[in-house]
Amino acid sequence: MNSPNNVNSPMFAVDLAVLRDMLGDDLKAADKFIRRYMEHSSRQIVELGAALEARDWRTMTVTAHKLKSSSRMVGALGLGKQCEALEDQSMATVNKPGAAVLEQLSATHRLVCADLEQILSEGQL
């Protein structure tokens, strides 16, 4: 059943199985890891916006790559996929990413962070 209260539901932006595989049973370490991800990834979203505004494609590529990797580690596979597309676009010689791409990525990031907050608050690990 797809319920907003079921973190294994496809309605959620985080695959809890990936998160559990990565973090195991150490709830204290998991809490720290998730909170650190949310803090760092939020800064990376801001960095991506600044890079887009400055048309600094190298910074955008590097930052998208970092965000892709860390997002996949916490089970945010959809966000990781979007980061991969952004990374590819920012390396391309034509059709560079625009504001709409970054807005969608930011929206997905907000969903991921909301899911992670819910996972932490409900003790879902």
Side-chain angles (χ1 to χ4, degrees):
M1 181 160 131
N2 290 342
S3 161
N5 295 322
N6 176 0
V7 291
N8 291 314
S9 163
M11 294 174 67
F12 281 78
V14 174
D15 182 339
L16 192 53
V18 172
L19 194 55
R20 284 181 179 140
D21 286 347
M22 174 67 187
L23 301 173
D25 293 335
D26 188 344
L27 296 180
K28 187 174 180 179
D31 183 89
K32 183 177 179 179
F33 182 81
I34 290 169
R35 292 187 189 285
R36 188 174 219 184
Y37 166 80
M38 290 189 296
E39 178 185 332
H40 287 266
S41 64
S42 294
R43 276 190 249 155
Q44 289 169 327
I45 294 291
V46 171
E47 290 171 20
L48 287 170
L52 178 63
E53 190 173 312
R55 301 180 62 78
D56 180 352
W57 307 120
R58 171 130 175 79
T59 297
M60 181 167 280
T61 301
V62 170
T63 305
H65 180 79
K66 290 177 188 177
L67 184 56
K68 172 186 72 177
S69 300
S70 60
S71 295
R72 287 177 174 169
M73 288 176 66
V74 297
L77 305 179
L79 180 58
K81 217 174 232 190
Q82 288 178 328
C83 290
E84 183 176 9
L86 180 62
E87 183 182 6
D88 291 344
Q89 280 185 313
S90 60
M91 288 189 297
T93 55
V94 295
N95 298 326
K96 295 290 189 182
V101 172
L102 194 55
E103 287 170 17
Q104 180 60 44
L105 190 129
S106 295
T108 303
H109 177 260
R110 286 190 298 275
L111 291 173
V112 166
C113 288
D115 283 0
L116 290 171
E117 284 287 352
Q118 183 175 348
I119 288 165
L120 290 175
S121 71
E122 293 179 2
Q124 292 286 330
L125 291 176

